[in-house]
Every structure is written in C-alpha cells, then in structure tokens.
Amino acid sequence: MAQRYVRIQTPEGRIYYGLLQLSRGVQLLDAPPWLKGKPTERFLEPETYRILAPCVPSKIVAVGKNYADHAAEMGTPVPREPLLFLKPPTAVIADGDEIAYPPQSERVDYEGELALVIGERCVDCTPEEATGKIWGYTIANDVTARDLQKKDGQWTRGKGFDTFCPLGPWIVRELSPGAGLQTFLNDAPEPVQSSIIDNMVFPPDVLVSYISQVMTLLPGDVVLTGTPEGIGPLQVGDRVRVEIEGIGSLENTVRQRLTPADL
C-alpha cells in the first residue's frame, strides 16, 4: 500500500502532519511533507486524533469541463484551453465533515474529482517541469450550486460556499493513469459517476503548466482536475462518497445550512 500522508488534530487542538500506519496509528512529521518534513519519534495511537483536510492551500484552482463526456452532458464543446476558476480555501472540509446546503440554492450537485497537491513554487513551468512540482494526489468533491452558477453567468458564488470543497482523506505520492474514479450516493451499489483519470482532456502536467503561466502556485496549493460524466443533485440527508483507486474514499453527508433566523 502507498504511504498515506495525513494532517491531524489532537483533542488538545494541536495540528500535525504525519504518516498513517496500517494500524491507523500516525507517525508524526516535523513539518509538512512537501516542505521536507521528516518522521519524528512521536507516534499517535488510533482514536487519539481527528483527520483533517490533508493540506491548507492558499488557493484552490479548479478546471471545468476537463472530461469530454462531462462537457457533452453540459451541452457544451470541450474547451480549447483549460477552463479555470477558483474556489476559496474557506470551502475546504475534511472527510466525514458535513456539506452545508445553502438556502440560496435549489440545486446543489456533487462532482467527484482527482486533486493535485503542489509541492514547490511553480511559475511559468513547462509541462515537463510541472510534473516535478506535483507532490501528490488526493480526492476532492467540487460541490456546486448549479442553479446559481447558471444564474450568475460566472462561477464564484456557485462554487465558493463554505463546505463546498471536501478534500482528503490523505495524500499519496504516486497514482496510476489508469486509476478509476467513482462517485456513490447513499447505499446505492451502482456509481453515479465512473471513469478513469486518463480520460482527462488536459492531463495533470499540462494543467499545472498552464496555470503556472497565469498565477504562481505555492507549496500546499491544490488543483482540481475536473469531473467526469454523471453529475447530479444532492439532497439534505444524502451521503456522497468519491473513490479513486490507489488513494481511497472521501465521504461526506449533507445538512441544511442554518441562517441567523434559524438560531
């Protein structure tokens, strides 16, 4: 099994990066692993920590319509260049946290995706150089208020609500291009999304190179690589699980977002 790099919090509120063991214990690192964090002698036993989102990005750069079948289901052609948008860092939640369904929206969709974690400062990189800037891989759900996205004509509000970027549960260093991506709702045995990451229109090295020619990517930043066909609505009470072969699964439930009037 590939090494799994986690970010965890103790009951006292201390936050650490570490290596998850098969026993579910965690060997702590002295710094984030992409900043050359080394294993220490400290070890946390299972059930003595909570897994957080695996990194704290300064920004989340996402790519729209990067699978041809998804572009088709949206009724649009495949973009000639990567279609970029941003999600705020405040949208990030961890595996097991709740997605808050905002009262402004009447349709909130799941979008299972592969996420790239940047390990080194990256600016004006070639695709070959960009490959070395990708430190690892994790799972994301690019939750989207679809009706607001269409209403606004741009994507900031529809993509940017708090809790709209579940991320995790950990990072792995290597991933097969043929790895499968599947999304499941509740207890249904059949996935609502199923593809392989090699079906991307623009592969990870091309995406990171393209983005780096627009903005500087910093260590710990996240790139969402797009979602395949099969997007659909979430309801309050739903449980959504995104699985990527070679990484694991990211699962979150949906609750109603409270307004001040509800408190």
Side-chain angles (χ1 to χ4, degrees):
M1 178 178 289
Q3 287 188 315
R4 297 169 293 176
Y5 292 84
V6 293
R7 179 170 158 267
I8 57 94
Q9 185 175 38
T10 67
E12 297 76 30
R14 295 189 178 91
I15 295 175
Y16 301 98
Y17 290 87
L19 277 167
L20 185 66
Q21 309 297 308
L22 290 176
S23 66
R24 303 293 292 189
V26 175
Q27 184 178 16
L28 300 185
L29 305 177
D30 59 10
W34 44 89
L35 298 181
K36 305 190 185 306
K38 302 296 184 186
T40 70
E41 296 182 356
R42 295 196 61 189
F43 186 87
L44 295 183
E45 297 293 339
E47 312 300 331
T48 63
Y49 61 86
R50 180 171 74 93
I51 289 184
L52 305 175
C55 57
V56 185
S58 75
K59 56 188 169 294
I60 302 150
V61 187
V63 181
K65 303 176 184 177
N66 197 30
Y67 288 76
D69 54 7
H70 173 55
E73 76 174 341
M74 298 297 288
T76 59
V78 173
R80 293 185 178 181
E81 298 178 291
L83 176 60
L84 304 183
F85 60 95
L86 294 172
K87 292 175 84 81
T90 47
V92 172
I93 58 173
D95 176 59
D97 288 348
E98 294 180 314
I99 298 166
Y101 199 116
Q104 299 96 321
S105 177
E106 295 182 357
R107 172 157 174 173
V108 172
D109 285 4
Y110 56 81
E111 294 189 13
E113 308 200 5
L114 172 68
L116 315 176
V117 179
I118 301 301
E120 297 180 23
R121 188 175 186 273
C122 184
V123 58
D124 291 330
C125 292
T126 66
E128 292 75 20
E129 291 168 335
T131 299
K133 306 293 187 180
I134 300 170
W135 192 87
Y137 306 89
T138 189
I139 306 171
N141 188 346
D142 176 21
V143 182
T144 304
R146 191 70 63 198
D147 54 344
L148 301 183
Q149 180 188 26
K150 293 178 180 179
K151 177 182 178 181
D152 292 351
Q154 48 79 26
W155 300 3
T156 301
R157 182 167 64 141
K159 299 281 191 176
F161 282 96
D162 289 355
T163 76
F164 269 26
C165 190
L167 195 66
W170 42 67
I171 302 168
V172 300
R173 296 298 312 274
E174 305 291 338
L175 193 66
S176 167
L181 183 159
Q182 294 187 314
T183 304
F184 295 85
L185 276 182
N186 300 315
D187 297 319
E190 295 299 319
V192 289
Q193 292 184 289
S194 185
S195 187
I196 59 172
I197 60 175
D198 204 31
N199 285 338
M200 292 180 197
V201 176
F202 302 104
D205 58 340
V206 172
L207 294 178
V208 171
S209 171
Y210 183 88
I211 295 165
S212 79
Q213 295 168 47
V214 178
M215 66 190 80
T216 300
L217 291 167
L218 300 175
D221 280 352
V222 169
V223 174
L224 307 188
T225 58
T227 196
E229 179 186 22
I231 62 167
L234 293 167
Q235 307 297 331
V236 172
D238 277 351
R239 199 169 60 254
V240 56
R241 184 176 79 255
V242 184
E243 297 182 354
I244 297 182
E245 187 179 10
I247 302 178
S249 65
L250 171 70
E251 184 169 315
N252 302 88
T253 56
V254 183
R255 64 167 173 85
Q256 186 66 50
R257 179 171 174 167
L258 300 178
T259 67
D262 299 318
L263 300 176

